[in-house]
Amino acid sequence: MDSMDAPEFWDDQAAEFDEAPDHGLRDAAVRGAWAGLLLPLLPPAPARVADLGCGTGTLTVLMAQAGHRVAGLDFAPRMVALAREKIAAAGVAADVVVGDASSPPWKAGSFDVVLTRHVPWALPDPEAALTMWIDVLGPGGRLILIEGRWSSGVGLGSADVAELVLRHRSEAEVTRLDDPALWGTPIDDERYVITSRR
Ligand SMILES: C[S@@+](CC[C@H](N)C(=O)[O-])C[C@H]1O[C@@H](n2cnc3c(N)ncnc32)[C@H](O)[C@@H]1O
């Protein structure tokens, strides 16, 4: 089997990826929970948002529907193809490209927000990637890192990710995401969002 830092690993999961309630947000209550969490974390629309490791583009579309100018990036071509289909079906404008989240192909200062959901844990060098993400943020830009250490044994703990962020930024606010409405089921592991505005 391919390792999770190979695009083939994620391409193999693309067709079924949206079946998980928090991935596809097909259930209105779960979708509403993510909208209620995420949209207030963003600056007023239209903000320029980079959704790195965007997968099938579910959050890309959610944010574009709220009026943001979203660019998605993922290194798995099947994920990108599904994201583009989802964007077209939703009738919103958002660009999604195949690329490496560890070195996004954008100029410094291109975005107001860099958002990732469940991505740093899958990267070979999360700190190196983080420095690139900070680079593509303009002054006052926000980092929004949704991450977890799951009961499956994989993932990154909030203290470790906060410590990583604080090596490069002065704020790393951790909010636990324990609400079962976000996941479509009760959870007993560590899920959180780290917000860094400076
Ligand atoms: C757990 S999925 C999360 C997808 C999406 N962010 C979401 O929450 O629905 C992880 C995603 O990160 C992508 N990914 C992992 N490593 C990557 C890298 N180095 N560059 C770009 N994408 C990457 C995978 O292809 C996959 O789509």
Side-chain angles (χ1 to χ4, degrees):
M1 193 171 91
D2 294 302
S3 114
M4 70 195 175
D5 55 12
E8 294 78 10
F9 173 87
W10 295 101
D11 266 343
D12 286 348
Q13 300 193 30
E16 286 84 38
F17 191 77
D18 279 356
E19 288 170 15
D22 58 306
H23 292 172
L25 304 187
R26 290 169 172 164
D27 181 295
V30 178
R31 189 174 191 81
W34 279 96
L37 168 74
L38 204 51
L39 300 181
L41 295 178
L42 302 176
R48 299 165 303 163
V49 183
D51 182 3
L52 298 179
C54 64
T56 58
T58 303
L59 296 185
T60 311
V61 167
L62 186 76
M63 295 185 287
Q65 285 174 327
H68 295 291
R69 288 158 42 199
V70 191
L73 175 149
D74 202 287
F75 71 172
R78 281 188 209 152
M79 289 286 194
V80 169
L82 290 171
R84 288 177 176 155
E85 281 175 20
K86 196 175 284 179
I87 288 162
V92 291
D95 266 344
V96 178
V97 296
V98 176
D100 186 351
S102 298
S103 55
W106 298 306
K107 287 191 192 132
S110 309
F111 290 95
D112 304 307
V113 177
V114 167
L115 173 133
T116 65
R117 185 173 71 164
H118 305 160
V119 176
W121 73 276
L123 300 178
D125 186 343
E127 183 167 15
L130 184 69
T131 61
M132 302 298 282
W133 303 348
I134 291 168
D135 190 53
V136 300
L137 281 177
R142 294 181 197 183
L143 270 178
I144 300 176
L145 308 178
I146 300 156
E147 197 56 63
R149 183 163 51 195
W150 297 279
S151 46
S152 58
V154 300
L156 298 171
S158 59
D160 291 339
V161 179
E163 199 259 329
L164 206 63
V165 171
L166 289 172
R167 283 187 211 154
H168 303 276
R169 309 266 290 181
S170 59
E171 183 194 46
E173 184 183 318
V174 179
T175 305
R176 298 273 307 207
L177 302 180
D178 293 331
D179 184 353
L182 290 165
W183 312 107
T185 185
I187 57 151
D188 59 4
D189 49 15
E190 188 188 6
R191 306 185 193 195
Y192 56 91
V193 56
I194 293 185
T195 311
S196 172
R197 296 175 190 82
R198 54 192 172 272

PDB file of all heavy atoms in Angstrom, residues 1 73 172:
ATOM      1  N   MET A   1       0.838  -1.198   0.000  1.00  0.00           N
ATOM      2  CA  MET A   1       0.000   0.000   0.000  1.00  0.00           C
ATOM      3  C   MET A   1       0.875   1.252   0.000  1.00  0.00           C
ATOM      4  O   MET A   1       1.934   1.280   0.605  1.00  0.00           O
ATOM      5  CB  MET A   1      -0.896  -0.008   1.244  1.00  0.00           C
ATOM      6  CG  MET A   1      -2.002   1.010   1.175  1.00  0.00           C
ATOM      7  SD  MET A   1      -3.208   0.825   2.500  1.00  0.00           S
ATOM      8  CE  MET A   1      -2.539   1.890   3.749  1.00  0.00           C
ATOM      9  N   LEU A  73      -6.079  23.396  -3.406  1.00  0.00           N
ATOM     10  CA  LEU A  73      -4.891  22.705  -3.926  1.00  0.00           C
ATOM     11  C   LEU A  73      -4.838  21.330  -3.282  1.00  0.00           C
ATOM     12  O   LEU A  73      -5.095  21.181  -2.086  1.00  0.00           O
ATOM     13  CB  LEU A  73      -3.642  23.513  -3.563  1.00  0.00           C
ATOM     14  CG  LEU A  73      -2.281  22.910  -3.919  1.00  0.00           C
ATOM     15  CD1 LEU A  73      -1.296  24.043  -4.228  1.00  0.00           C
ATOM     16  CD2 LEU A  73      -1.716  22.066  -2.790  1.00  0.00           C
ATOM     17  N   ALA A 172      -1.703  31.218  18.788  1.00  0.00           N
ATOM     18  CA  ALA A 172      -2.192  29.897  18.354  1.00  0.00           C
ATOM     19  C   ALA A 172      -3.307  29.519  19.324  1.00  0.00           C
ATOM     20  O   ALA A 172      -3.068  28.948  20.383  1.00  0.00           O
ATOM     21  CB  ALA A 172      -1.084  28.859  18.379  1.00  0.00           C
TER      22      ALA A 172
END
